Amino acid sequence: MRAGRLISSTANIAMKHMNIVIQHKQRRQFSNRTRNDAIQELFRHLESNYGNLSSLIDTGTAAETIVADDGIIHANHLKRLFEHDATALHVRNFYNSESATQLGEELIQESMSKGGKNWKVSTSRGLESSDVGTLGEHPPYNVAVARERQSISSSQNDGDSKDATTPIDEYFEGVQREFHSRRRNGTSYRLWPLDKLRLELDEAWQFGAGLAREQKDQRRAFGGGLPRIMRGPTRWKGFIHVDDLGPLDSNRGLFSANIYLTVPDTDANKHTNTNPDAGALYIWPLGVRSRLDWYRNAITLSSLSAQDPESQLVLRKALGTPNVIHPEPGDLVLLCAQRPHCAVGFSDGVRVSLQSFLQYESEKRLLIDC
């Protein structure tokens, strides 16, 4: 009996403790929901009373797309772009068009034989496959970082060896393989377009340019860019997004560089796509230059990081008319990755490009990574 009462008493105490824990957790969850709802309501109030996204659309030279027809990256064009006195820079014939097309076809064949890695996008339904795939010996660095964190979290208690190769190590090892393999063309060598980009940025920019490196340990080189493949028919009209949500700053910023190798045939898409810009690049000259302006329009701007069809409609209406760039094989397009942009969807064909990112800081070397 004593043992029975003791068990019963212990069970009652445990049950009461469990109920207290559950109630505390529910209150905390309710508190978090309440706080989040309050924050959302605050931003809705700010935007409805003080928001005016159209007033932040740049005009004049800051809204221009600079076009260079000579195939050369000019220092004055870079300066305008980096200081946000231009929205984009389009360098036509940066790489020989015939060589670009041939290289694009090789990458298409590579994607068919080896497969590609699909980029995931965030939607209201969670992570979903996008229309873009990547090729190469390594993932983008942010993907490697995410894998590293997941690996650390899952192996905290399983006694794995600290000497095991980590996702970050695999990334840097893959970077070196990617560099070496892309420069080879059978038994000979060729000028890989991303190498040409690095050389000419270094020559054009007065403070030089080169690969970003680790800030500690071995100071290994980051990747210089990866091939991206987009096949029609695409499911999406074109996802408007930014790669960095920070306000524009004339002293620093994040920029992307895209070298186009193959593009969808415009005439072929006329019969199946009513959009005359199918396969083009849209970029909006939105100039959010302070955190206050961002907060005033936070509800609409937050859709730039949660890409779903509903939010895209809101963004398109709010942003208005974009700058339209129709790249051809061999063209280079540099743009501020903090301005909204998207690749326009298409019905037929394949678009192959090479992409890298540029980190700009005033009076410092340009850092290239991927």
Side-chain angles (χ1 to χ4, degrees):
M1 287 292 292
R2 292 175 57 188
R5 284 196 297 268
L6 179 60
I7 293 172
S8 177
S9 176
T10 303
N12 288 334
I13 293 171
M15 185 63 70
K16 288 179 181 179
H17 177 72
M18 185 181 297
N19 287 334
I20 291 171
V21 170
I22 291 172
Q23 289 170 10
H24 175 71
K25 184 179 292 186
Q26 288 173 339
R27 283 197 301 270
R28 187 172 59 188
Q29 291 172 346
F30 178 76
S31 177
N32 288 338
R33 286 197 300 270
T34 303
R35 184 169 59 251
N36 291 336
D37 290 343
I39 292 171
Q40 287 288 318
E41 185 58 34
L42 171 63
F43 282 124
R44 276 192 289 269
H45 174 77
L46 282 174
E47 184 160 332
S48 62
N49 288 277
Y50 306 104
N52 187 0
L53 202 62
S54 61
S55 69
L56 302 178
I57 300 296
D58 281 342
T59 58
T61 58
E64 292 179 0
T65 294
I66 303 169
V67 179
D69 290 317
D70 57 5
I72 297 173
I73 301 173
H74 294 279
N76 61 319
H77 292 165
L78 290 176
K79 180 177 173 61
R80 282 187 58 192
L81 180 68
F82 294 154
E83 295 182 355
H84 308 299
D85 188 33
T87 293
L89 169 58
H90 181 186
V91 182
R92 291 182 174 140
N93 302 305
F94 173 75
Y95 196 76
N96 177 268
S97 60
E98 291 184 5
S99 299
T101 300
Q102 180 180 346
L103 187 54
E105 292 299 327
E106 290 177 16
L107 291 172
I108 291 173
Q109 293 302 315
E110 179 182 325
S111 71
M112 294 175 66
S113 62
K114 296 183 178 180
K117 304 173 185 69
N118 186 268
W119 278 15
K120 302 291 184 181
V121 295
S122 175
T123 74
S124 58
R125 297 174 295 277
L127 287 176
E128 294 187 5
S129 297
S130 71
D131 293 315
V132 180
T134 62
L135 296 173
E137 296 289 336
H138 64 88
Y141 182 69
N142 61 334
V143 174
V145 170
R147 290 176 180 171
E148 178 97 347
R149 290 171 180 165
Q150 184 178 15
S151 175
I152 291 172
S153 176
S154 62
S155 63
Q156 282 180 337
N157 300 314
D158 61 8
D160 282 353
S161 171
K162 294 182 179 180
D163 297 328
T165 303
T166 69
I168 296 295
D169 290 332
E170 291 173 356
Y171 165 83
F172 285 111
E173 291 167 4
V175 163
Q176 292 300 316
R177 291 196 303 271
E178 179 75 3
F179 285 147
H180 297 153
S181 65
R182 294 303 181 191
R183 292 167 188 152
R184 285 187 177 275
N185 185 21
T187 57
S188 61
Y189 287 87
R190 62 181 167 199
L191 179 60
W192 181 243
L194 290 169
D195 287 341
K196 182 177 189 289
L197 174 65
R198 280 197 285 143
L199 287 169
E200 297 197 10
L201 282 173
D202 188 39
E203 294 163 0
W205 189 239
Q206 61 179 318
F207 298 101
L211 294 172
R213 290 183 174 273
E214 286 181 292
Q215 295 301 305
K216 58 181 181 179
D217 300 330
Q218 304 174 56
R219 295 190 61 80
R220 294 171 291 189
F222 281 78
L226 287 170
R228 303 198 316 162
I229 294 186
M230 190 175 183
R231 282 190 173 83
T234 59
R235 293 175 300 157
W236 308 107
K237 187 177 180 179
F239 269 137
I240 306 171
H241 67 283
V242 295
D243 299 292
D244 187 297
L245 284 170
L248 302 186
D249 184 337
S250 61
N251 292 312
R252 59 183 55 82
L254 179 68
F255 298 81
S256 68
N258 288 272
I259 302 171
Y260 292 84
L261 304 179
T262 64
V263 296
D265 184 80
T266 304
D267 293 331
N269 278 279
K270 285 180 179 177
H271 304 292
T272 54
N273 197 312
T274 57
N275 187 350
D277 296 329
L281 173 67
Y282 282 172
I283 178 167
W284 283 263
L286 180 68
V288 179
R289 287 178 167 80
S290 72
R291 292 193 180 278
L292 179 58
D293 284 336
W294 205 98
Y295 293 147
R296 286 172 173 167
N297 300 277
I299 297 298
T300 300
L301 292 176
S302 62
S303 297
L304 291 167
S305 61
Q307 302 171 59
D308 57 75
E310 296 82 5
S311 64
Q312 291 293 299
L313 292 174
V314 174
L315 280 171
R316 287 178 188 278
K317 183 178 180 180
L319 292 171
T321 305
N323 290 11
V324 184
I325 299 175
H326 290 277
E328 296 292 334
D331 287 5
L332 164 68
V333 175
L334 293 164
L335 58 87
C336 175
Q338 295 160 261
R339 295 189 192 261
H341 56 279
C342 76
V344 183
F346 50 90
S347 300
D348 298 304
V350 183
R351 192 187 74 168
V352 182
S353 62
L354 305 174
Q355 184 184 59
S356 62
F357 288 96
L358 314 178
Q359 300 174 48
Y360 161 73
E361 191 167 350
S362 180
E363 299 186 358
K364 290 189 177 181
R365 191 169 184 250
L366 285 176
L367 299 180
I368 302 166
D369 66 21
C370 177

